[in-house]
Amino acid sequence: MLSLYNDEEAGKYIQRYTGYPEDLALRIYTSHLLGREGELVLHGGGNTSVKSRVRDIFGNENDVLFVKGSGWDLATIEPQGFPCLDLEYLRRLRVLDGMSDEEMVNQLRTHMMDASSPDPSVETLLHAYLPHKFIDHTHADSILMLTNQKDHEKLIKEALGDRIAVLEFIMPGFPLAKAVYELYEKNPDVEAIVLLNHGLFTFGDDARSSYERTVKYVTLAEEYIASKAKDRTLLTKRTELQVPSNRAQAISMTCQAVRGALAHTGSDGKLKRFILEVRESGDLIEASLSKEAPEFCVSGLMTPDHVIRTKGRYVYVDGVDGDDETNSQKIRLLVERFKKEYNDYFDSCVREKGAERKRLDPYPRVFLVAGVGIIAAGNTRKAAKIAADLAEHTIRAKVKAKALGEYVALPDHMLFDMEYWSLEQKKLGKSGGLPLQGQAAFVSGGGGAMAVGIGDRLLAAGAAVVLADINAERLNRVKKVLSAKHNPLNIETLVMDVTDYGAVEAGLDRVCCLFGGIDVVVPNAGIAHVAEIEHLEADKLEEVMSVNFLGVFNLIKAAAGIFRRQGTGGNIVVNSSKNVFDPGPAFGAYSASKAAAHQISKIAALELASMGVKVNMINADAVFGSGEISSGLWDVVGPDRMKARGLDPEGLRQYYRERNLLKAEVFAEHVGNAVVFFATDQTPTTGATLPVDGGIPAAFPR
């Protein structure tokens, strides 16, 4: 690992954060350097601090500690991510013999200089007790490869030399802070402290020296591991296992089976689903096909900090070739076995500790699948990506660690302490608050104004959304609009022609590879053509029918197999039209195609009900575009309607407002609300038509 410290760049940080102490600006700079290295920290891991002096409200200078706040990531942390605490008071706490976690949090929060700051790191007291100005703490992969070994003392000394001290694993908090301080007092000449199964602390009197000591010891560890691994074969291939002949399809099918096996009824009586994340790089596939793969899954975590994201063990799946039912049954059995083992682990630890705990869900978060790679699960896409990142680093580290000897992780009872530690659980925050959390939605016609409203409401309800359209430019514009309001991580786009069944099938497979499966399908693609029957060309009629009817049929047909493999039900919400019941002259192609789509959707409601899949229709009227996204239908229909009535664009909107009973303008988000109503299963309804038109008597369903 090379030092990335640059004096010119450091100077820019000082200029950028004028108004803050200069040493805090440099603290932010080196925190960013550490946070950008995945081999050092991942997803909020690690913490940094700097000791400084600031003036209080009376103008007096005080010794303070700026330390990373909970919920902040070193890669992106800003000044407000470093709560400022009374250093002198924190050091007085050192004389106490003990302190509960709750009291420690109370003492930290009541001695911050700004009450609005985030909670300080649980390792704040450790940073306070060490005398150095700058302190850096990382979970470097290479350091953990050395510590998680049966012969760790010998390996650490050989690799890192004599200027480090080593401490056995202790839970973060007051006891660890005191132990580190006492260790340093006995070894005041050390440049770093290694915490077994936890990581590395480095320190210095300036930002550069502390950061570069991290680089130094991580590099020593990397070089040592590389020397041990040189010319050694670390993996033994299982010749009976192969990469699936059609990997994309195998990943899609496996993900659907995994999502089905993980779905379960929560304490609130509602079905809980997971979003999945796939990692399929060559080295992970090689590891998945090795004889060592099962051991990688059960030999424990690199650091217990990962347990709240990945659970303590992974599931190994030794191949996915064969028919869907066989693969689904295999995965369900593996999940059931994991659940039993997790519950046994929980019960055993509770008995041993004699303390009651509320049992967390027993479902696995990581699967290592032979020939596929890693499949990770989370109740949001962010959570799934975090679990995948951690698992990816762990598998790679375990492969390299084979060159060092015998890998040893923390025993279950110590892992349990971290998993059920209230301060660790707090990092996850509250979950389950959004009705479509954990669900994946697919919306065709994703480049139109209607998709903006549908996508907006689905995202607001917690779904991960894929927008598909044949027009890439319009699709990207819609994504840009939605990304300005919602987390872009939850929005994907797909260029796809709904009239081509092969393209639709491949497209939905791609969605399954992105999110793990599909729970909500919204056939929304549509085009219009204005012509009286006498002048309606057959090719134009066929074109409209292909998109508006065949496109809906193709989506329902392709989605049915996915719903069947997942076995968790689902919702298809067809964006139909007021014209199904109340057609207009010169609009025969559109009205007939929508009526056909409406009818095939009713048939689908009959046929898919046995799978728990509900199919409902929304009949909207006069939904104009808004902002920079125009309505494709009104781009075609609008000029003719305005000319016939002698109206300008605003006059046309007013005309359609006045013709409905409620005198209301219908917006795309109203259609989106209707989609969410059906998708959230608020009523046991299928085969229904919901008008979203302000009340058009001629279009009342009948």
Side-chain angles (χ1 to χ4, degrees), residues 284-580:
L284 293 176
I285 292 173
E286 183 183 4
S288 75
L289 294 168
S290 70
K291 290 183 179 179
E292 293 80 10
E295 182 62 21
F296 291 154
C297 292
V298 298
S299 54
L301 305 180
M302 295 291 288
T303 172
D305 297 68
H306 295 177
V307 69
I308 59 170
R309 308 287 190 177
T310 67
K311 299 291 187 182
R313 291 176 172 80
Y314 308 161
V315 172
Y316 180 62
V317 183
D318 63 349
V320 291
D321 279 334
D323 62 88
D324 291 347
E325 184 57 37
T326 300
N327 288 330
S328 293
Q329 182 65 16
K330 175 195 288 188
I331 289 170
R332 288 184 183 277
L333 289 174
L334 289 171
V335 170
E336 288 302 314
R337 181 193 302 169
F338 183 98
K339 287 167 56 182
K340 180 182 183 306
E341 291 173 352
Y342 182 89
N343 286 326
D344 289 345
Y345 146 80
F346 176 85
D347 294 338
S348 174
C349 290
V350 167
R351 283 195 304 269
E352 178 183 334
K353 296 176 183 298
E356 290 188 7
R357 297 285 190 279
K358 183 179 179 181
R359 191 189 306 262
L360 301 173
D361 82 73
Y363 290 87
R365 295 299 193 269
V366 178
F367 296 76
L368 181 61
V369 184
V372 169
I374 288 172
I375 297 176
N379 55 16
T380 64
R381 197 180 192 200
K382 179 180 178 181
K385 283 184 173 291
I386 289 174
D389 285 345
L390 297 176
E392 192 171 356
H393 275 259
T394 298
I395 295 297
R396 288 188 175 127
K398 285 185 177 182
V399 172
K400 293 179 181 178
K402 279 181 57 61
L404 301 176
E406 183 179 346
Y407 180 90
V408 178
L410 286 176
D412 280 351
H413 71 274
M414 298 183 78
L415 191 68
F416 179 87
D417 288 339
M418 184 67 79
E419 183 175 8
Y420 283 85
W421 190 28
S422 60
L423 301 187
E424 193 72 358
Q425 282 292 319
K426 194 174 181 180
K427 293 180 181 179
L428 296 178
K430 294 181 180 179
S431 61
L434 296 175
L436 293 180
Q437 181 173 286
Q439 295 200 41
F442 177 88
V443 183
S444 67
M450 198 78 83
V452 175
I454 295 171
D456 173 66
R457 296 295 81 206
L458 286 169
L459 289 162
V465 176
V466 174
L467 302 167
D469 201 284
I470 198 170
N471 188 315
E473 182 180 353
R474 287 181 64 92
L475 197 57
N476 290 332
R477 286 168 60 195
V478 170
K479 181 178 181 179
K480 181 180 178 181
V481 169
L482 292 175
S483 295
K485 187 175 179 181
H486 302 281
N487 186 351
L489 189 66
N490 295 323
I491 308 168
E492 293 283 353
T493 58
L494 181 67
V495 176
M496 189 185 81
D497 181 359
V498 294
T499 69
D500 179 348
Y501 182 74
V504 171
E505 196 170 38
L508 295 194
D509 272 343
R510 177 60 183 154
V511 176
C512 292
C513 293
L514 288 170
F515 293 151
I518 303 174
D519 306 292
V520 182
V521 175
V522 186
N524 172 65
I527 60 174
H529 179 69
V530 178
E532 294 179 347
I533 292 175
E534 182 181 359
H535 306 294
L536 177 60
E537 301 294 337
D539 61 336
K540 288 296 183 181
L541 174 63
E542 184 177 353
E543 181 183 354
V544 175
M545 290 292 291
S546 291
V547 176
N548 297 1
F549 167 64
L550 185 60
V552 172
F553 168 79
N554 285 341
L555 269 177
I556 294 175
K557 177 179 171 65
I562 295 172
F563 287 132
R564 185 179 298 282
R565 282 185 287 274
Q566 290 177 159
T568 56
N571 281 281
I572 298 173
V573 186
V574 179
N575 191 9
S576 192
S577 172
K578 158 261 181 190
N579 286 69
V580 170

Side-chain angles (χ1 to χ4, degrees), residues 169-224:
F169 178 80
I170 300 174
M171 283 282 291
F174 184 65
L176 176 60
K178 291 195 69 169
V180 167
Y181 175 72
E182 291 167 1
L183 179 66
Y184 176 77
E185 277 197 316
K186 296 175 184 176
N187 304 273
D189 295 328
V190 298
E191 295 179 338
I193 295 175
V194 173
L195 279 61
L196 298 186
N197 305 94
H198 190 68
L200 177 71
F201 278 90
T202 61
F203 23 77
D205 293 329
D206 59 83
R208 183 169 196 156
S209 62
S210 183
Y211 162 72
E212 290 190 339
R213 281 177 178 172
T214 296
V215 173
K216 169 186 173 180
Y217 285 105
V218 170
T219 300
L220 287 173
E222 290 174 340
E223 291 173 347
Y224 180 80

